Amino acid sequence: MHIRMALISSQAYQKYISSIAQKIADIQLDFYVYEEPEQATQLLHELQPCDALIIGGFLPYLEVKPFLPSLRIPYTHFIQDEATISTTLLAAITKYHIPLNQISIDVIEPTFVTSILQDIHQLDTPPYIHDATQVDVEQRHRTLYDEGHVQLIITSVHQLYEKLKANGYPVMRMQESTSATIQKLEKMRDSVLLQKSNANRMTAGVLKIHPEDEAAFIHFMQAIHANYTRHNSHRLELYTTIGHLEQLLHNEKQLKACLAYFKKPYQMGFGYGESISEALQHAEDALQFTKTDEIYILDEYSRLLGPYPTHQTILPLKFDSEKQKEMAERTKLSVLSLSKMSSFIEERHTKHFTAQDVADHLHVTRRTAERIIKKLLEHGYLAIISSEMTYKKGRPRAVYTWIDS
């Protein structure tokens, strides 16, 4: 299977990647070449259908970064790392026989150079180090060379390399490791292959809908390219692929528009599994967690995803540690309740909270939250640390803290 990748890059990077891509099986590269990094956004909007996107450089990546989350394909940019910088400095020293302190170098992360120099005990004679993202980096290089402080310029910016070279400055590009670049391309290819494999797997759904919403159900079924089996006027089973389902669920605008057709309450549970029967059982289990107008997914790893279309969280429905199992046995709380509490604690910037905080996060009534808290208090997993007055009349609210043990 050939994987089609789009690459937004400079012309120099296009030549470099083209020579390497020939060594990798099952990939086809479509190049979108810019003259200036600012053109990357326009090129992004001109992409033809492809399986993945690679941005060749940090500056064009910054330009397109705000638009990347809306893409429905994997994307990455090749990050400049310490290995690239080390390779470049070594090449400069051996080829040009120039001391480090007579080199002017711009990099994406200046601390990388300092770290390398520290490792080789060369902090006393460092090169002139610049942030490649700064607008005055070209002028800094020029000034240092013109004033005789340096003999060589090393740049991370392809356009700057061409400009300095055209003006007669001694300049070299960053020297990327061919083997590392091949590994990055192969990793992206394998990621796409895995995604395609998962997207083509079947998923099952169990729906509870009102008979008056037959037209809405047909519209939803068509949106995910599903087949269905009817058990009665209220309960239906759907079968589609994970790719079709997630394409709708991950497009919030389209999902809400699709669900707006339902005029009566609905509940939907979907399941992933190694077989259709396992997926259907997971769909049944997911349905048990749904409330009115909610969609949940239970995947093959016993993780509960949802509820869609509002709060999209991932909660494990099985415990991996003896401590978690012991907590469930002692408190008699469900796996879901404990998973939600664990998620609540992890996401907060402070360990202090009230019953109302728990109710808001778990999307339950305050009374339900207080019952959960009471069981955790009784078994020493929580403690009351203080109380706070509210603006309304009534008793002060208790403030709790999670006890690590």
PDB file of all heavy atoms in Angstrom, residues 265-291:
ATOM      1  N   PRO A 265     -35.542  12.454  23.204  1.00  0.00           N
ATOM      2  CA  PRO A 265     -34.310  11.975  23.841  1.00  0.00           C
ATOM      3  C   PRO A 265     -33.754  10.722  23.146  1.00  0.00           C
ATOM      4  O   PRO A 265     -34.502   9.887  22.645  1.00  0.00           O
ATOM      5  CB  PRO A 265     -34.751  11.656  25.275  1.00  0.00           C
ATOM      6  CG  PRO A 265     -35.963  12.507  25.488  1.00  0.00           C
ATOM      7  CD  PRO A 265     -36.649  12.557  24.164  1.00  0.00           C
ATOM      8  N   TYR A 266     -32.422  10.621  23.128  1.00  0.00           N
ATOM      9  CA  TYR A 266     -31.765   9.456  22.546  1.00  0.00           C
ATOM     10  C   TYR A 266     -30.604   9.050  23.447  1.00  0.00           C
ATOM     11  O   TYR A 266     -30.104   9.832  24.255  1.00  0.00           O
ATOM     12  CB  TYR A 266     -31.238   9.758  21.140  1.00  0.00           C
ATOM     13  CG  TYR A 266     -30.166  10.833  21.117  1.00  0.00           C
ATOM     14  CD1 TYR A 266     -28.830  10.530  21.392  1.00  0.00           C
ATOM     15  CD2 TYR A 266     -30.492  12.150  20.841  1.00  0.00           C
ATOM     16  CE1 TYR A 266     -27.856  11.512  21.395  1.00  0.00           C
ATOM     17  CE2 TYR A 266     -29.527  13.143  20.840  1.00  0.00           C
ATOM     18  CZ  TYR A 266     -28.212  12.826  21.115  1.00  0.00           C
ATOM     19  OH  TYR A 266     -27.253  13.798  21.137  1.00  0.00           O
ATOM     20  N   GLN A 267     -30.141   7.816  23.303  1.00  0.00           N
ATOM     21  CA  GLN A 267     -28.935   7.306  23.953  1.00  0.00           C
ATOM     22  C   GLN A 267     -28.220   6.398  22.963  1.00  0.00           C
ATOM     23  O   GLN A 267     -28.865   5.598  22.280  1.00  0.00           O
ATOM     24  CB  GLN A 267     -29.279   6.520  25.224  1.00  0.00           C
ATOM     25  CG  GLN A 267     -29.874   7.359  26.345  1.00  0.00           C
ATOM     26  CD  GLN A 267     -30.393   6.483  27.476  1.00  0.00           C
ATOM     27  OE1 GLN A 267     -31.551   6.077  27.466  1.00  0.00           O
ATOM     28  NE2 GLN A 267     -29.527   6.188  28.434  1.00  0.00           N
ATOM     29  N   MET A 268     -26.900   6.524  22.872  1.00  0.00           N
ATOM     30  CA  MET A 268     -26.137   5.705  21.938  1.00  0.00           C
ATOM     31  C   MET A 268     -24.871   5.182  22.595  1.00  0.00           C
ATOM     32  O   MET A 268     -24.137   5.942  23.232  1.00  0.00           O
ATOM     33  CB  MET A 268     -25.735   6.517  20.699  1.00  0.00           C
ATOM     34  CG  MET A 268     -26.883   7.153  19.946  1.00  0.00           C
ATOM     35  SD  MET A 268     -26.278   7.959  18.423  1.00  0.00           S
ATOM     36  CE  MET A 268     -27.737   8.938  17.995  1.00  0.00           C
ATOM     37  N   GLY A 269     -24.618   3.907  22.418  1.00  0.00           N
ATOM     38  CA  GLY A 269     -23.383   3.300  22.882  1.00  0.00           C
ATOM     39  C   GLY A 269     -22.697   2.591  21.725  1.00  0.00           C
ATOM     40  O   GLY A 269     -23.348   1.863  20.973  1.00  0.00           O
ATOM     41  N   PHE A 270     -21.388   2.810  21.565  1.00  0.00           N
ATOM     42  CA  PHE A 270     -20.618   2.145  20.513  1.00  0.00           C
ATOM     43  C   PHE A 270     -19.478   1.358  21.140  1.00  0.00           C
ATOM     44  O   PHE A 270     -18.973   1.727  22.207  1.00  0.00           O
ATOM     45  CB  PHE A 270     -20.060   3.159  19.514  1.00  0.00           C
ATOM     46  CG  PHE A 270     -21.104   3.741  18.598  1.00  0.00           C
ATOM     47  CD1 PHE A 270     -21.811   4.883  18.959  1.00  0.00           C
ATOM     48  CD2 PHE A 270     -21.392   3.131  17.390  1.00  0.00           C
ATOM     49  CE1 PHE A 270     -22.779   5.416  18.122  1.00  0.00           C
ATOM     50  CE2 PHE A 270     -22.362   3.662  16.543  1.00  0.00           C
ATOM     51  CZ  PHE A 270     -23.056   4.806  16.902  1.00  0.00           C
ATOM     52  N   GLY A 271     -19.103   0.283  20.474  1.00  0.00           N
ATOM     53  CA  GLY A 271     -18.047  -0.556  21.013  1.00  0.00           C
ATOM     54  C   GLY A 271     -17.025  -0.941  19.965  1.00  0.00           C
ATOM     55  O   GLY A 271     -17.363  -1.141  18.798  1.00  0.00           O
ATOM     56  N   TYR A 272     -15.741  -1.002  20.393  1.00  0.00           N
ATOM     57  CA  TYR A 272     -14.663  -1.525  19.561  1.00  0.00           C
ATOM     58  C   TYR A 272     -14.247  -2.859  20.156  1.00  0.00           C
ATOM     59  O   TYR A 272     -14.340  -3.068  21.371  1.00  0.00           O
ATOM     60  CB  TYR A 272     -13.450  -0.598  19.548  1.00  0.00           C
ATOM     61  CG  TYR A 272     -13.709   0.815  19.070  1.00  0.00           C
ATOM     62  CD1 TYR A 272     -12.785   1.820  19.325  1.00  0.00           C
ATOM     63  CD2 TYR A 272     -14.868   1.146  18.365  1.00  0.00           C
ATOM     64  CE1 TYR A 272     -12.996   3.125  18.883  1.00  0.00           C
ATOM     65  CE2 TYR A 272     -15.085   2.443  17.922  1.00  0.00           C
ATOM     66  CZ  TYR A 272     -14.156   3.434  18.192  1.00  0.00           C
ATOM     67  OH  TYR A 272     -14.369   4.714  17.765  1.00  0.00           O
ATOM     68  N   GLY A 273     -13.760  -3.749  19.316  1.00  0.00           N
ATOM     69  CA  GLY A 273     -13.318  -5.038  19.832  1.00  0.00           C
ATOM     70  C   GLY A 273     -12.557  -5.819  18.788  1.00  0.00           C
ATOM     71  O   GLY A 273     -12.468  -5.418  17.631  1.00  0.00           O
ATOM     72  N   GLU A 274     -12.020  -6.959  19.209  1.00  0.00           N
ATOM     73  CA  GLU A 274     -11.278  -7.816  18.298  1.00  0.00           C
ATOM     74  C   GLU A 274     -12.209  -8.597  17.384  1.00  0.00           C
ATOM     75  O   GLU A 274     -11.784  -9.177  16.390  1.00  0.00           O
ATOM     76  CB  GLU A 274     -10.392  -8.785  19.089  1.00  0.00           C
ATOM     77  CG  GLU A 274      -9.322  -8.105  19.927  1.00  0.00           C
ATOM     78  CD  GLU A 274      -8.380  -7.252  19.087  1.00  0.00           C
ATOM     79  OE1 GLU A 274      -8.059  -7.665  17.955  1.00  0.00           O
ATOM     80  OE2 GLU A 274      -7.967  -6.179  19.566  1.00  0.00           O
ATOM     81  N   SER A 275     -13.489  -8.629  17.717  1.00  0.00           N
ATOM     82  CA  SER A 275     -14.489  -9.303  16.889  1.00  0.00           C
ATOM     83  C   SER A 275     -15.778  -8.499  16.947  1.00  0.00           C
ATOM     84  O   SER A 275     -15.944  -7.623  17.812  1.00  0.00           O
ATOM     85  CB  SER A 275     -14.742 -10.726  17.393  1.00  0.00           C
ATOM     86  OG  SER A 275     -15.299 -10.686  18.702  1.00  0.00           O
ATOM     87  N   ILE A 276     -16.705  -8.798  16.032  1.00  0.00           N
ATOM     88  CA  ILE A 276     -17.984  -8.088  16.036  1.00  0.00           C
ATOM     89  C   ILE A 276     -18.756  -8.377  17.312  1.00  0.00           C
ATOM     90  O   ILE A 276     -19.384  -7.478  17.889  1.00  0.00           O
ATOM     91  CB  ILE A 276     -18.821  -8.478  14.796  1.00  0.00           C
ATOM     92  CG1 ILE A 276     -18.258  -7.790  13.562  1.00  0.00           C
ATOM     93  CG2 ILE A 276     -20.282  -8.084  14.971  1.00  0.00           C
ATOM     94  CD1 ILE A 276     -18.373  -6.274  13.605  1.00  0.00           C
ATOM     95  N   SER A 277     -18.709  -9.609  17.782  1.00  0.00           N
ATOM     96  CA  SER A 277     -19.446  -9.950  19.011  1.00  0.00           C
ATOM     97  C   SER A 277     -18.884  -9.189  20.215  1.00  0.00           C
ATOM     98  O   SER A 277     -19.638  -8.723  21.069  1.00  0.00           O
ATOM     99  CB  SER A 277     -19.385 -11.461  19.267  1.00  0.00           C
ATOM    100  OG  SER A 277     -18.038 -11.897  19.381  1.00  0.00           O
ATOM    101  N   GLU A 278     -17.537  -9.048  20.273  1.00  0.00           N
ATOM    102  CA  GLU A 278     -16.932  -8.285  21.365  1.00  0.00           C
ATOM    103  C   GLU A 278     -17.280  -6.810  21.242  1.00  0.00           C
ATOM    104  O   GLU A 278     -17.581  -6.138  22.240  1.00  0.00           O
ATOM    105  CB  GLU A 278     -15.419  -8.465  21.364  1.00  0.00           C
ATOM    106  CG  GLU A 278     -14.717  -7.749  22.524  1.00  0.00           C
ATOM    107  CD  GLU A 278     -13.214  -7.947  22.508  1.00  0.00           C
ATOM    108  OE1 GLU A 278     -12.755  -8.983  23.020  1.00  0.00           O
ATOM    109  OE2 GLU A 278     -12.511  -7.048  21.987  1.00  0.00           O
ATOM    110  N   ALA A 279     -17.268  -6.285  20.007  1.00  0.00           N
ATOM    111  CA  ALA A 279     -17.628  -4.887  19.795  1.00  0.00           C
ATOM    112  C   ALA A 279     -19.068  -4.628  20.205  1.00  0.00           C
ATOM    113  O   ALA A 279     -19.386  -3.597  20.822  1.00  0.00           O
ATOM    114  CB  ALA A 279     -17.416  -4.511  18.328  1.00  0.00           C
ATOM    115  N   LEU A 280     -19.959  -5.565  19.888  1.00  0.00           N
ATOM    116  CA  LEU A 280     -21.369  -5.403  20.258  1.00  0.00           C
ATOM    117  C   LEU A 280     -21.552  -5.442  21.768  1.00  0.00           C
ATOM    118  O   LEU A 280     -22.334  -4.660  22.331  1.00  0.00           O
ATOM    119  CB  LEU A 280     -22.205  -6.502  19.590  1.00  0.00           C
ATOM    120  CG  LEU A 280     -23.721  -6.419  19.830  1.00  0.00           C
ATOM    121  CD1 LEU A 280     -24.287  -5.092  19.333  1.00  0.00           C
ATOM    122  CD2 LEU A 280     -24.433  -7.593  19.142  1.00  0.00           C
ATOM    123  N   GLN A 281     -20.817  -6.333  22.452  1.00  0.00           N
ATOM    124  CA  GLN A 281     -20.903  -6.388  23.909  1.00  0.00           C
ATOM    125  C   GLN A 281     -20.400  -5.084  24.521  1.00  0.00           C
ATOM    126  O   GLN A 281     -20.987  -4.555  25.473  1.00  0.00           O
ATOM    127  CB  GLN A 281     -20.089  -7.572  24.453  1.00  0.00           C
ATOM    128  CG  GLN A 281     -20.172  -7.728  25.964  1.00  0.00           C
ATOM    129  CD  GLN A 281     -21.587  -7.892  26.464  1.00  0.00           C
ATOM    130  OE1 GLN A 281     -22.297  -8.808  26.049  1.00  0.00           O
ATOM    131  NE2 GLN A 281     -22.045  -7.001  27.353  1.00  0.00           N
ATOM    132  N   HIS A 282     -19.318  -4.532  23.967  1.00  0.00           N
ATOM    133  CA  HIS A 282     -18.807  -3.254  24.457  1.00  0.00           C
ATOM    134  C   HIS A 282     -19.800  -2.123  24.203  1.00  0.00           C
ATOM    135  O   HIS A 282     -19.910  -1.194  25.000  1.00  0.00           O
ATOM    136  CB  HIS A 282     -17.461  -2.944  23.793  1.00  0.00           C
ATOM    137  CG  HIS A 282     -16.331  -3.737  24.353  1.00  0.00           C
ATOM    138  ND1 HIS A 282     -15.068  -3.744  23.794  1.00  0.00           N
ATOM    139  CD2 HIS A 282     -16.255  -4.571  25.427  1.00  0.00           C
ATOM    140  CE1 HIS A 282     -14.268  -4.530  24.500  1.00  0.00           C
ATOM    141  NE2 HIS A 282     -14.977  -5.050  25.486  1.00  0.00           N
ATOM    142  N   ALA A 283     -20.518  -2.209  23.076  1.00  0.00           N
ATOM    143  CA  ALA A 283     -21.546  -1.202  22.796  1.00  0.00           C
ATOM    144  C   ALA A 283     -22.669  -1.280  23.830  1.00  0.00           C
ATOM    145  O   ALA A 283     -23.172  -0.250  24.299  1.00  0.00           O
ATOM    146  CB  ALA A 283     -22.100  -1.405  21.391  1.00  0.00           C
ATOM    147  N   GLU A 284     -23.050  -2.501  24.181  1.00  0.00           N
ATOM    148  CA  GLU A 284     -24.073  -2.693  25.227  1.00  0.00           C
ATOM    149  C   GLU A 284     -23.602  -2.089  26.549  1.00  0.00           C
ATOM    150  O   GLU A 284     -24.360  -1.397  27.243  1.00  0.00           O
ATOM    151  CB  GLU A 284     -24.356  -4.188  25.416  1.00  0.00           C
ATOM    152  CG  GLU A 284     -24.939  -4.887  24.217  1.00  0.00           C
ATOM    153  CD  GLU A 284     -26.456  -4.849  24.203  1.00  0.00           C
ATOM    154  OE1 GLU A 284     -27.035  -4.099  25.013  1.00  0.00           O
ATOM    155  OE2 GLU A 284     -27.048  -5.558  23.377  1.00  0.00           O
ATOM    156  N   ASP A 285     -22.348  -2.345  26.884  1.00  0.00           N
ATOM    157  CA  ASP A 285     -21.799  -1.815  28.132  1.00  0.00           C
ATOM    158  C   ASP A 285     -21.729  -0.291  28.088  1.00  0.00           C
ATOM    159  O   ASP A 285     -22.034   0.381  29.083  1.00  0.00           O
ATOM    160  CB  ASP A 285     -20.403  -2.395  28.381  1.00  0.00           C
ATOM    161  CG  ASP A 285     -20.433  -3.899  28.617  1.00  0.00           C
ATOM    162  OD1 ASP A 285     -21.503  -4.422  28.966  1.00  0.00           O
ATOM    163  OD2 ASP A 285     -19.381  -4.542  28.440  1.00  0.00           O
ATOM    164  N   ALA A 286     -21.315   0.255  26.947  1.00  0.00           N
ATOM    165  CA  ALA A 286     -21.224   1.712  26.821  1.00  0.00           C
ATOM    166  C   ALA A 286     -22.587   2.361  26.987  1.00  0.00           C
ATOM    167  O   ALA A 286     -22.706   3.447  27.578  1.00  0.00           O
ATOM    168  CB  ALA A 286     -20.622   2.086  25.471  1.00  0.00           C
ATOM    169  N   LEU A 287     -23.608   1.690  26.479  1.00  0.00           N
ATOM    170  CA  LEU A 287     -24.963   2.247  26.572  1.00  0.00           C
ATOM    171  C   LEU A 287     -25.411   2.398  28.021  1.00  0.00           C
ATOM    172  O   LEU A 287     -26.173   3.315  28.360  1.00  0.00           O
ATOM    173  CB  LEU A 287     -25.940   1.348  25.814  1.00  0.00           C
ATOM    174  CG  LEU A 287     -27.369   1.881  25.637  1.00  0.00           C
ATOM    175  CD1 LEU A 287     -27.366   3.113  24.726  1.00  0.00           C
ATOM    176  CD2 LEU A 287     -28.289   0.800  25.068  1.00  0.00           C
ATOM    177  N   GLN A 288     -24.913   1.529  28.895  1.00  0.00           N
ATOM    178  CA  GLN A 288     -25.305   1.582  30.304  1.00  0.00           C
ATOM    179  C   GLN A 288     -24.825   2.871  30.986  1.00  0.00           C
ATOM    180  O   GLN A 288     -25.378   3.284  32.004  1.00  0.00           O
ATOM    181  CB  GLN A 288     -24.742   0.370  31.056  1.00  0.00           C
ATOM    182  CG  GLN A 288     -25.160  -0.968  30.488  1.00  0.00           C
ATOM    183  CD  GLN A 288     -26.673  -1.106  30.386  1.00  0.00           C
ATOM    184  OE1 GLN A 288     -27.400  -0.840  31.348  1.00  0.00           O
ATOM    185  NE2 GLN A 288     -27.142  -1.513  29.221  1.00  0.00           N
ATOM    186  N   PHE A 289     -23.791   3.490  30.426  1.00  0.00           N
ATOM    187  CA  PHE A 289     -23.247   4.703  31.035  1.00  0.00           C
ATOM    188  C   PHE A 289     -23.883   5.977  30.474  1.00  0.00           C
ATOM    189  O   PHE A 289     -23.645   7.062  30.990  1.00  0.00           O
ATOM    190  CB  PHE A 289     -21.732   4.764  30.827  1.00  0.00           C
ATOM    191  CG  PHE A 289     -20.977   3.676  31.535  1.00  0.00           C
ATOM    192  CD1 PHE A 289     -20.471   2.593  30.831  1.00  0.00           C
ATOM    193  CD2 PHE A 289     -20.784   3.726  32.910  1.00  0.00           C
ATOM    194  CE1 PHE A 289     -19.781   1.583  31.483  1.00  0.00           C
ATOM    195  CE2 PHE A 289     -20.097   2.727  33.566  1.00  0.00           C
ATOM    196  CZ  PHE A 289     -19.594   1.652  32.850  1.00  0.00           C
ATOM    197  N   THR A 290     -24.654   5.836  29.410  1.00  0.00           N
ATOM    198  CA  THR A 290     -25.212   7.031  28.782  1.00  0.00           C
ATOM    199  C   THR A 290     -26.406   7.572  29.550  1.00  0.00           C
ATOM    200  O   THR A 290     -27.188   6.825  30.129  1.00  0.00           O
ATOM    201  CB  THR A 290     -25.663   6.745  27.335  1.00  0.00           C
ATOM    202  OG1 THR A 290     -26.683   5.752  27.357  1.00  0.00           O
ATOM    203  CG2 THR A 290     -24.504   6.290  26.486  1.00  0.00           C
ATOM    204  N   LYS A 291     -26.493   8.894  29.524  1.00  0.00           N
ATOM    205  CA  LYS A 291     -27.696   9.574  29.996  1.00  0.00           C
ATOM    206  C   LYS A 291     -28.401  10.130  28.772  1.00  0.00           C
ATOM    207  O   LYS A 291     -28.016   9.861  27.638  1.00  0.00           O
ATOM    208  CB  LYS A 291     -27.320  10.687  30.972  1.00  0.00           C
ATOM    209  CG  LYS A 291     -26.639  10.169  32.231  1.00  0.00           C
ATOM    210  CD  LYS A 291     -26.267  11.320  33.157  1.00  0.00           C
ATOM    211  CE  LYS A 291     -25.531  10.802  34.394  1.00  0.00           C
ATOM    212  NZ  LYS A 291     -25.113  11.914  35.291  1.00  0.00           N
TER     213      LYS A 291
END
